[in-house]
Amino acid sequence: MYTINNKISIYQSGEPQNKAILFIHGFPYDHNMWQKQIEELESSYHCITYDIRGLGASPAGNGQFTMESFVDDVEFIINEFKLDKPVLCGLSMGGYIAFRCMERMQDKFGGLIICDSKPEADNNEAKLRRAKGIKTINMEGVQKFVGDFVPGCFAQSSINNPKIPYNEVLNRSMKYDPVGVKGCLLAMLSRTDTSSYLSQIKIPTLIICGENDKLTPPEVMKLTSERITNSEFIIVPEAGHMTPIENPKFVNKAITKFLMKHFPGI
Ligand code: MLT
């Protein structure tokens, strides 16, 4: 089921009485990145995903986004759909949102799944890269920015693999509203560092990382996992930064195992 509430495009499948999983996509993508996970899980779980403001079918408005406003949207969805301690699953920018959700309202969640992300804020180098990205969009358009950015998110073997919808993902992202893409860049650039909160995350956590992830490499994500008490870390073979799309079979198996262990009987 698809609805637009509070100007956010929200997608639900599965029975609402089942345990809810709330999926947050990465940048510059949309809810479609979770398609394979939802297909696998919807018979046993209530799966909810949405398009972050400015991406996919969620309008950009004036593009004045902050990480805090993205967390407000998660809180809105939880309240609107009366979700009872959903498992929060975020990839990369979705992970930045998820980590801040933990810091702000951990008690509203039953579990946490982080794919290819980190709790640290942008350093100066990363901030300058974001600024350059905004300049590229202003001077040469969103297609040029997306065409430069997206290939770095996938392992080369995935780009060459016809079974992986790389071109579909790339073409979709090239059509996004430049105001929305720039708004997300600014929200990431100005986000806070949530790493000091890691030791206070007590809910069951699964940390997933592609073996060829260049943006948040396995050695970095392993350290993040070690700082969370109740956490498991897995490396996904044959994948870069976009694990749910690049190796859905492996990711689905890991998520299912994690859910069965911590939410038995659901
Ligand atoms: C993402 O996949 O969400 C982005 O790579 C995050 C980022 O640019 O920091």
Side-chain angles (χ1 to χ4, degrees):
M1 193 173 69
Y2 163 63
T3 48
I4 295 200
N5 284 14
N6 195 16
K7 298 197 174 151
I8 315 167
S9 301
I10 305 167
Y11 309 79
Q12 279 190 84
S13 58
E15 296 298 326
Q17 67 268 22
N18 288 343
K19 185 77 181 167
I21 311 174
L22 178 54
F23 294 91
I24 320 177
H25 64 81
F27 167 90
Y29 306 105
D30 65 23
H31 73 282
N32 284 292
M33 64 167 293
W34 299 110
Q35 189 190 335
K36 294 282 182 206
Q37 286 63 52
I38 291 174
E39 278 170 13
E40 172 82 15
L41 297 166
E42 65 189 353
S43 58
S44 309
Y45 297 91
H46 178 202
C47 299
I48 304 111
T49 186
Y50 67 102
D51 293 335
I52 290 171
R53 280 176 202 276
L55 301 175
S58 291
N62 63 10
Q64 307 276 306
F65 311 139
T66 60
M67 202 50 63
E68 220 49 20
S69 67
F70 289 159
V71 174
D72 291 343
D73 287 339
V74 172
E75 194 167 16
F76 169 81
I77 292 170
I78 293 174
N79 292 338
E80 186 74 4
F81 293 92
K82 299 188 175 43
L83 304 180
D84 180 22
K85 291 193 179 280
V87 174
L88 189 61
C89 175
L91 180 135
S92 201
M93 179 170 76
Y96 307 158
I97 298 170
F99 278 127
R100 177 63 187 140
C101 280
M102 290 301 117
E103 202 174 44
R104 220 172 90 172
M105 48 182 178
Q106 180 180 184
D107 59 332
K108 288 196 193 290
F109 300 96
L112 175 67
I113 302 172
I114 296 287
C115 305
D116 305 277
S117 190
K118 59 182 179 191
E120 288 82 16
D122 279 6
N123 59 21
N124 284 348
E125 198 187 322
K127 285 182 175 151
L128 292 172
R129 248 194 333 268
R130 306 270 190 218
K132 196 165 165 226
I134 291 172
K135 190 172 175 183
T136 300
I137 296 171
N138 287 335
M139 310 280 288
E140 299 175 74
V142 78
Q143 291 198 0
K144 166 75 176 141
F145 170 77
V146 165
D148 290 345
F149 187 89
V150 169
C153 294
F154 286 79
Q156 191 56 46
S157 54
S158 303
I159 294 176
N160 299 336
N161 183 346
K163 287 195 190 131
I164 293 171
Y166 170 76
N167 285 319
E168 200 184 301
V169 171
L170 180 69
N171 291 333
R172 206 185 289 129
S173 298
M174 282 188 169
K175 296 195 186 86
Y176 292 155
D177 184 337
V179 173
V181 176
K182 287 188 286 184
C184 289
L185 282 167
L186 284 168
M188 289 192 284
L189 183 157
S190 59
R191 74 187 189 277
T192 56
D193 185 323
T194 53
S195 53
S196 66
Y197 190 75
L198 293 178
S199 60
Q200 291 182 63
I201 298 178
K202 303 296 178 202
I203 56 176
T205 300
L206 175 63
I207 304 278
I208 295 176
C209 184
E211 67 173 345
N212 298 311
D213 185 343
K214 292 189 279 286
L215 282 82
T216 44
E219 58 275 18
V220 171
M221 289 202 74
K222 185 166 186 286
L223 290 179
T224 298
S225 177
E226 283 166 4
R227 294 173 67 186
I228 302 174
T229 320
N230 194 2
S231 161
E232 296 161 53
F233 173 64
I234 60 147
I235 294 180
V236 182
E238 294 166 47
H241 187 63
M242 302 294 287
T243 46
I245 298 178
E246 296 183 75
N247 195 341
K249 242 187 185 165
F250 192 95
V251 169
N252 288 355
K253 222 168 151 186
I255 292 180
T256 303
K257 193 171 163 213
F258 170 78
L259 293 171
M260 304 269 278
K261 177 175 170 190
H262 295 286
F263 306 97
I266 292 165

